[in-house]
């Protein structure tokens, strides 16, 4: 039987972690930290590992690396003996970032334990204006080396995956695209293998958090074939971005409908190298309009960004009632799927006299038809404060994410429970709470202690390792470090 159901991409801590993090805060004085450039109001904050590693072709920025000290330079390796400066003359820039983390659940989950996982990102960007005189042209290629094992897949079985870097171990191509701008930068077109999660459905303030649901939303990750065009699976597509006014940005894109093609099994295993380049698995179309307030130079109000979007996928989607109940083979399907979403990012407080920092709030909400989706509603929100404890480049935040199981899927659970004669609970929803502190110890080094609590993992599914009980609520402790070379 051909599996037409939506595919989800797979995504021991102790008190010593918290003590280590506290020691780092005390050991590094605020005056030792160089200023980190803040994004313009209304522009995305490069907080996720994927965004941090995207170099700006043709721009080195700031003081020459060869003249800055270890704790002031933007990259750990500095100018590499002048290599970066030489390459910049030809519009070439490269990025190398290592993200590593230890995560563990001392309570709850399917079982308790700890894991280590890491992500090495490599990227190369070329400003073709500098390189060959083609003004407005940019070429970009990036790759991923994923290592370790994920806590969600091994210990918890939750919907809101614990870490945004959790994935199957692999060395793979990520993005490969060309972008051309027109009309003095007010319009640009990107063509090639792309990841939608770097531009669409994203919140500036949610990027601080480690849980994957604050990046590419859980609704899309669960419902779309292969999880949609998002880490670690990019796919061929065309993206158009227009800025008709200083405060307004319009994004629209057409991608291949499934980054790994259609079929049974783990999509990351079906496309292990990232070189599938499939264009015959339907289409995924997404559009978004963004409106920014107080983002112009000299604005006296607090900046904010408001986004409204919609996506559509043309593939066949299995009916979640029959997926859950297993009553029919082959499964009935519905043609096409869609979702509507909104994102709010708003700075609500800035310290008197400060140009950057302050308290920001975010809220995202999205919905999809329950007739063809396991998760039909997702909401997340939270707050982040930049500059706590007199440390201008640190950020602390609290976020909450909620994913709801659709009514047809719940009805299927009930039907299966009534006929199976075994313990099969009816799923409801899953909630994750995250509290995190991101320390910028140097421009090239971040350390981030993290706490998460997962309520009702999987929406309340049975524990396969403990028949007769649901998977228990899970407390998660973790520590992430990011090095930019």
């Amino acid at each position: 039987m051909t599996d037409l159901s939506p595919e989800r991409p797979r995504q021991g801590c102790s008190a010593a972690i918290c003590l280590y993090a506290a020691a780092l805060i005390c050991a590094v004085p605020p005056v030792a930290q160089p200023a980190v450039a803040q994004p313009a109001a209304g522009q995305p904050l490069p907080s996720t590992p994927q965004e941090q590693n995207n170099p700006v072709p043709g721009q080195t920025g700031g003081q020459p690396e060869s003249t800055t000290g270890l704790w002031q330079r933007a990259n750990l390796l500095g100018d590499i003996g002048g290599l970066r400066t030489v390459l910049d003359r030809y519009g070439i820039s490269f990025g190398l970032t290592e993200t590593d983390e230890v995560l563990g659940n001392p309570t709850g989950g399917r079982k308790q334990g700890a894991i280590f996982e890491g992500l090495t990102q490599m990227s190369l960007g070329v400003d073709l204006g500098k390189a060959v005189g083609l003004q407005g042209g940019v070429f970009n290629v990036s790759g991923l080396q994923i290592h370790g094992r994920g806590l969600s897949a091994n210990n918890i079985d939750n919907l809101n995956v614990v870490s945004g870097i959790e994935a199957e171990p692999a060395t793979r191509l990520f993005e490969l695209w060309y972008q051309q701008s027109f009309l003095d930068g007010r319009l640009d077109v990107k063509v090639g293998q792309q990841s939608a999660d770097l531009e669409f459905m994203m919140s500036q303030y949610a990027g601080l958090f480690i849980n994957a649901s604050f990046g590419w939303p859980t609704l899309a990750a669960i419902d779309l074939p292969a999880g949609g065009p998002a880490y670690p699976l990019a796919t061929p597509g065309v993206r158009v971005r227009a800025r008709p006014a200083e405060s307004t940005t319009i994004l629209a894109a057409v991608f291949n409908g499934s980054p790994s093609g259609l079929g049974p099994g783990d999509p990351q295993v079906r496309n292990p190298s990232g070189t599938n380049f499939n264009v015959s698995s339907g289409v995924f179309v997404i559009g978004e309009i963004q409106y920014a307030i107080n983002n112009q130079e000299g604005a006296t109000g607090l900046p904010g960004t408001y986004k409204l979007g919609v996506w559509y996928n043309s593939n066949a989607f299995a009916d979640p009632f029959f997926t859950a109940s297993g009553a029919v083979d082959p499964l009935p399907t519905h043609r096409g799927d869609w979702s509507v979403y909104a994102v709010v990012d708003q700075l609500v407080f800035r310290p008197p006299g400060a140009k950057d920092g302050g308290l920001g709030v975010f809220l995202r909400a999205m919905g999809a038809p329950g007739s063809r989706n396991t998760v039909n509603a997702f909401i997340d929100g939270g707050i982040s404060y930049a500059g706590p404890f007199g440390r201008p480049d640190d950020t602390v935040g609290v976020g909450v994410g909620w994913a709801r199981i659709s009514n047809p899927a719940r009805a299927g659970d009930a039907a299966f429970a009534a006929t199976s004669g075994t313990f099969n609970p009816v799923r409801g929803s899953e909630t994750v709470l995250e509290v995190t502190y991101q320390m910028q110890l140097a421009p090239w080094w971040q350390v981030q202690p993290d706490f998460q609590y997962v309520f009702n993992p999987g929406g309340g599914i049975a524990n396969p390792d403990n028949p007769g009980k649901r998977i228990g609520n899970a407390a998660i402790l973790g520590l992430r470090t990011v090095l930019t070379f």
Side-chain angles (χ1 to χ4, degrees), residues 152-423:
S152 285
N154 286 276
N155 287 23
I156 303 179
D157 286 351
N158 58 321
L159 301 172
N160 301 297
V161 176
V162 171
S163 171
I165 70 170
E166 179 170 332
E168 285 293 310
T171 299
R172 60 169 61 244
L173 175 70
F174 188 41
E175 291 195 312
L176 177 65
W177 49 258
Y178 172 74
Q179 178 176 292
Q180 180 64 53
S181 64
F182 306 92
L183 304 176
D184 296 324
R186 288 181 293 155
L187 174 70
D188 59 70
V189 180
K190 184 193 294 185
V191 180
Q193 178 144 305
Q194 306 173 48
S195 179
D197 63 337
L198 298 183
E199 295 186 292
F200 291 89
M201 289 194 274
M202 305 308 293
S203 161
Q204 171 181 334
Y205 297 116
L208 164 71
F209 298 94
I210 287 177
N211 191 285
S213 67
F214 295 108
W216 188 241
T218 299
L219 182 147
I222 297 294
D223 294 340
L224 287 171
Y231 170 87
L233 295 171
T235 194
V238 178
R239 191 271 289 144
V240 178
R241 176 171 53 189
R243 297 184 180 89
E246 183 179 3
S247 61
T248 305
T249 300
I250 300 172
L251 289 168
V254 179
F255 298 95
N256 174 51
S258 175
S260 63
L262 301 174
D266 189 326
Q268 294 181 44
V269 174
R270 293 204 307 270
N271 184 12
S273 64
T275 57
N276 186 303
F277 302 130
N278 186 291
V279 292
S280 59
S281 303
V283 295
F284 172 67
V285 182
I286 185 168
E288 181 175 297
I289 184 167
Q290 307 173 358
Y291 181 73
I293 62 173
N294 298 320
N295 66 330
Q296 67 274 19
E297 188 70 26
T300 57
L302 296 174
T305 306
Y306 302 83
K307 304 176 182 178
L308 183 64
V310 60
W311 58 255
Y312 172 80
N313 190 292
S314 68
N315 284 293
F317 291 78
D319 190 300
F321 172 87
F322 296 100
T323 301
S325 66
V328 178
D329 186 10
L331 294 172
T333 61
H334 303 273
R335 176 60 61 181
D337 193 10
W338 55 271
S339 173
V340 176
Y341 64 91
V343 184
V344 174
D345 282 306
Q346 179 64 56
L347 190 68
V348 295
F349 170 76
R350 177 178 286 159
K355 292 184 178 181
D356 300 311
L359 181 67
V361 300
F362 72 94
L363 177 67
R364 293 190 301 178
M366 55 195 66
S371 60
R372 61 206 69 197
N373 293 297
T374 299
V375 174
N376 75 317
F378 175 78
I379 301 173
D380 66 356
I383 60 174
S384 69
Y385 187 84
F389 313 119
R391 299 176 57 84
D393 303 315
D394 289 2
T395 309
V396 62
V398 179
V400 178
W402 175 79
R404 181 186 186 276
I405 303 299
S406 68
N407 287 337
R410 290 166 53 84
D413 289 343
F416 183 69
T419 58
S420 66
T422 59
F423 178 70

Side-chain angles (χ1 to χ4, degrees), residues 443-463:
W444 47 265
W445 186 20
Q446 288 180 352
V447 174
Q448 186 169 355
D450 189 74
F451 170 78
Q452 299 179 39
Y453 197 86
V454 180
F455 300 87
N456 215 28
I461 59 176
N463 189 339

